Amino acid sequence: MESGEKVVRISVRNLVEFILKEGDIDNRITAGTAEKDAMLMGSRLHRKIQKSMGLGYQAEVSLKISVPCQGFTLRVEGRADGIIVDETSDGKLQQVTVDEIKGVLRNLEQIQKPAGVHLAQAKCYAYIYGKEKELEKISIQMTYCHLDTEEIRRFKEEYTLEDLKSWFEELVHRYEKWARLQIEWEQMRDETIRNLKFPFSYREGQFNLAASVYRTIARKKKLFIQAPTGTGKTMAVLYPAVRAMGEGLGEKIFYLTARTITRTVAEQAFFILKEKGLKFRSVTLTAKEKICFCEKAECNPQACPYAKGHFDRVNDAVYDLLKNGGGMGRKEIEEQAEKFQVCPFEFALELSVWADGIICDYNYVFDPNAHLKRFFADGGNNHYLFLVDEAHNLVERGREMYSASLYKEDVLEVKRIVKGKDKKLTRSLESMNKAFLELKRECENYQILDSVSVLALKAMNLLTEMERYLEEQREQGRQDGTEEEILPLFFGLRSFLNIHDLLDKNYVIYSEMQSDGRFMVKLFCVNPAENLQKCLEQGNSTIFFSATLLPIQYYKSLLSVVQDDYAVYAESNFPETNRSVLLAEGISTKYTSRGEEMYSRIAEYIGKTIDSKTGNYMAFFPSYRLMEAVYEKFLELGKKSEVLLQSQYMDEEEREEFLKKFEKKQGGTLVAFCVMGGIFSEGIDLTQDRLIGAMIVGTGIPQVCNEREILKQYFGAEGFDYAYLYPGMNKVLQSAGRVIRTEKDKGVILLMDERFQSPHYRRMFPREWSDCRRCTMENVTELLTEFWKKDPT
C-alpha cells in the first residue's frame, strides 16, 4: 500500500449482505426474520457451543485482509465464530475448518442447506484465514443451533483456496465501483468542509459553545450542554461536528431527535450550511407508516408491489441517485423509489449507508428491536459522531426501549384464537398461562420479583411453537386472519426474551394487577445508562444538548456511565429586561388543595395576566382533568378572548390547525389551554409576538403510581427527586421555553404553585430566572403592565 493511499473499511457481514441481497421484502414472521434477532437471545448458547468444542477450537478469531484496488485499498474485516485446527499425532496439519454458528428458532429439519448470506460470510473468513496460513484447502462448517432445544445441525464442505479466491475477488470487484464512488465524493466533501465558515455572526457565547463541541470530539469524549433557547445551539453543535468530520475525527454524523419538529430544525441547519457551499449528503429517516406508498404498511410481496423484488432493484436505485448527484430529501427519495419500484422506507435505509449525516429518531440507534443493524450489529468503534438533541427526553425513552412486559390476558386471547387448530401450540399457551397464574396468586397490587427465569423458559418454548405454527400456516397457504391477530404476542415474547438477556443491577422485575384487571410482568430498566453506553461506544464522541438539562448530574448519571464527561452551561444572550418571571402567591395544585375555589383563583390569575397586554398566551397544566376544570371557570369570567383547548386525542391535522391560530395576526387576545409534557409544550417554535406569555399551573410532578414508587425506592436518598421532582420540573422548564425563542422576543412566565417558592424548587431554576419576583392577585396586572411598557432591548 502506497503511503497516504485511501483505505476503505467494510465488515464481512456488510459486504456480503450488500452485494448478495436479492428477492422480496417480507416482514411476515418467517425463519429469516426470527434468525435476525436470534443471536440476541442466544448469545450465551453461542458461547456454550464454542466452549464445548475442545482445545483445537479457537473462538472469535479476528480476521482482516487488505485488497489493492485502483487508487485505494479495500480492508475487509470481521470475526469468525470459530477456527478448528486438526493435527495428526506427529503435529502435522491435517485439516482446518471455519465454523459459522447461527442460532435459530425454526425446526432444524426444515433447514435443508445453509442460507446463502450465512455461507458467504463463512467463505470470506475461510479465504482470509486460508490465504494468511498459505493453505491449499479449507473446510467450512455451518452450525445451526435451536435456541430452545439446543439441538444442533451442521453442514460441512471442503473448498480449494483457488476457488475461494476467485469467488472472493468477484465479490470485491462488484463492490469496487461503490467504494470508488464514495472516495470521490468524500474528497469533494472534505474540500468544501475545509472552506466552510460559520454561517452567521457568532452570538455571545456561541463561539465558546462551538469550540467546546470541537474539543470534545477531538478528545473522543462526551459533552452535556445546558443551552437556553435562543443561544443558537443547533448550529453551534452541528457546525463543529461537520468540521471535525472533515478532519477525519468522525466518519458519519447521527443527529438524533425525539420529535418530528426538531428533525426539521436539523434539516434547516444542514440546508443553511449547504447554501454556504458545503457538499454533504444528509438523509432524514421518516417512519415507515408515514412514507409508505400503500394505504397500509404491509411489507410482503403479496400485499405490496414495491416489496416484491425490492432487493433485486434497490442497489440500482441507490447507485443511480449517487452517480447523478441527486438529493436525499423526502421528495427525492419518493421520486426515486417510484421510478425503480422499490419501498421508499427501505430505500432511505439503504441511502443512509452512503450518507454523511443521518437525522433520525433515538430508536434507530438505541432501541434493541429497531436499531440500524447495518451500522450497529457488529459492535466495535465505528467512528460515528452522535448529536443527541432534546437529550432530556432520552432518560424516559431509554427506559422504554430497554424494558419489556407481558400480559396474561394476551396469552389467553391467543389461546382462544388457535384452540382447535394446533394442539402443541395450545399446550404451550396453557403452560405459559399457568406460570402467569402462579405469579398472579402472590400479587395483590404489585410485587418486586427476584427472577422470572421460569416464565422466560416458558416464553422461549411458546415462541418456538408460534414460529412453527406461523410457518406451517404460510406453507399451507392458509389466510384466515390468524397470523395478524397473534403477531403482537409473538413480537412481545421476542422483546421480553431479548431484554431478559440484558438483566442486571439496573433492572427491577415486578408484577402488577392493573386497574383494568389485566395482569402484567415487567422487566423495568430503571437506569438506562449502561445499555445506552453500549451503543455510544460505537462512536467517537457524543454531544447531549437541550434547553433543559437541569440538574446536570441527574442526566449524567442516567445517560452515561463515564465519570469524566464534560458539561457546559451556555449563557443566555437574551436581555433580562425582555423577560418577566413571576411567582403567583396563593395557588396550590396539591390534590388536598384542589376544588372549585382554587380553580377559580387559577382562572382569575390567567385572566389578569392577559389583561395586561393583548396577544397570544398559553396556559399549561399537569393533567387534562385540572386543565378542563380551570377552563370552565375561565369561560365564566367572560373575557373577550379566543380560547383554545387541547384535546386528548388530537390527530396531526388538528394539531396543525391549533398552531395555525398562533401564526395569524390577531386583532385580540388568544389563550390556549394545554398540558405540560404534551405536544404543545415541546418543540414548537412561536417566535416574537406569536406567543407572549406562558402560565405554568403546577410543578409537573408525575402522578404517584407503582412504577414511580419503584424508581423512588431504587434511588434511595435521591429517590423522590429522581422519580418525581426532576421529571416534573423538566416539563415546567420546557413549557416556559415556548415563550422566549429569539433575541427579539419579549414575554412573561407566570409560575402558579406555592412549591415554586421553596428553596428545593428554586434551585432547579435556570440562571436566567435569577430575577424572578413574587406577585399577588392584587398586583399581578400592575406588575405586568409596567413590564410591557418598557421598550424591548
Side-chain angles (χ1 to χ4, degrees), residues 175-238:
Y175 184 74
E176 193 173 341
K177 71 170 185 177
W178 294 89
R180 182 169 290 107
L181 191 67
Q182 186 67 4
I183 289 169
E184 291 169 357
W185 167 260
E186 288 177 1
Q187 287 172 343
M188 180 171 62
R189 178 201 70 194
D190 292 350
E191 180 64 28
T192 66
I193 291 175
R194 282 190 288 272
N195 296 325
L196 185 67
K197 306 296 182 186
F198 195 77
F200 312 112
S201 298
Y202 280 108
R203 301 177 190 176
E204 186 178 347
Q206 197 177 27
F207 177 82
N208 290 336
L209 184 57
S212 296
V213 171
Y214 184 86
R215 282 194 300 269
T216 301
I217 294 173
R219 295 170 185 173
K220 299 185 178 180
K221 296 281 192 177
K222 294 196 202 77
L223 175 64
F224 287 80
I225 301 172
Q226 157 70 20
T229 303
T231 52
K233 59 182 176 294
T234 301
M235 191 60 78
V237 168
L238 187 59

Side-chain angles (χ1 to χ4, degrees), residues 353-369:
V353 174
W354 308 97
D356 307 304
I358 301 172
I359 304 168
C360 61
D361 188 87
Y362 297 154
N363 64 345
Y364 287 105
V365 172
F366 300 117
D367 192 332
N369 293 316

Side-chain angles (χ1 to χ4, degrees), residues 107-126:
N107 190 328
L108 293 184
E109 292 179 3
Q110 295 174 337
I111 302 177
Q112 299 301 316
K113 62 180 182 178
V117 174
H118 295 166
L119 183 59
Q121 278 185 255
K123 288 172 76 172
C124 286
Y125 295 136

Side-chain angles (χ1 to χ4, degrees), residues 521-536:
V521 173
K522 184 165 185 175
L523 312 177
F524 181 31
C525 181
V526 290
N527 186 349
E530 288 200 17
N531 285 323
L532 295 172
Q533 179 69 20
K534 290 170 188 173
C535 300
L536 297 177

Side-chain angles (χ1 to χ4, degrees), residues 398-448:
R399 284 181 177 138
E400 290 172 18
M401 289 186 285
Y402 295 109
S403 297
S405 55
L406 289 175
Y407 290 85
K408 178 181 181 297
E409 290 70 26
D410 292 345
V411 174
L412 288 175
E413 177 61 17
V414 172
K415 179 188 168 186
R416 182 192 64 77
I417 293 167
V418 302
K419 192 173 182 180
K421 297 179 180 178
D422 191 289
K423 289 182 179 178
K424 287 182 71 177
L425 177 53
T426 302
R427 282 198 300 270
S428 187
L429 286 159
E430 288 171 348
S431 180
M432 184 79 179
N433 185 53
K434 285 179 183 177
F436 267 118
L437 269 174
E438 290 181 19
L439 294 170
K440 185 178 178 180
R441 289 191 192 104
E442 299 170 1
C443 178
E444 292 184 10
N445 177 12
Y446 79 97
Q447 183 178 25
I448 305 296

Side-chain angles (χ1 to χ4, degrees), residues 605-619 634-635 638-644 661-662 664-673 689-695 748 788:
Y605 259 116
I606 294 172
K608 286 181 176 291
T609 301
I610 67 172
D611 284 344
S612 65
K613 182 177 174 63
T614 299
N616 297 341
Y617 296 84
M618 281 186 168
F634 181 80
L635 292 181
K639 295 289 181 181
K640 292 183 179 179
S641 60
E642 184 177 358
V643 186
L644 301 177
K661 295 282 188 179
F662 292 87
K664 297 174 183 174
K665 286 286 184 182
Q666 298 291 331
T669 290
L670 172 69
V671 186
F673 283 67
D689 60 356
R690 286 185 289 175
L691 186 68
I692 65 169
M695 295 154 281
V748 59
W788 288 117

Side-chain angles (χ1 to χ4, degrees), residues 246-269:
E247 294 172 26
L249 298 175
E251 64 182 43
K252 196 180 294 285
I253 292 172
F254 284 87
Y255 193 107
L256 308 176
T257 73
R259 295 172 185 263
T260 303
I261 189 70
T262 42
R263 270 165 255 171
T264 304
V265 172
E267 289 170 344
Q268 290 170 346

Side-chain angles (χ1 to χ4, degrees), residues 588-596 598-599 622-623 625-626:
S588 173
T589 61
K590 292 179 179 178
Y591 286 101
T592 53
S593 303
R594 293 186 186 183
E596 297 298 310
M598 187 57 68
Y599 302 153
S623 68
R625 182 179 296 179
L626 179 58

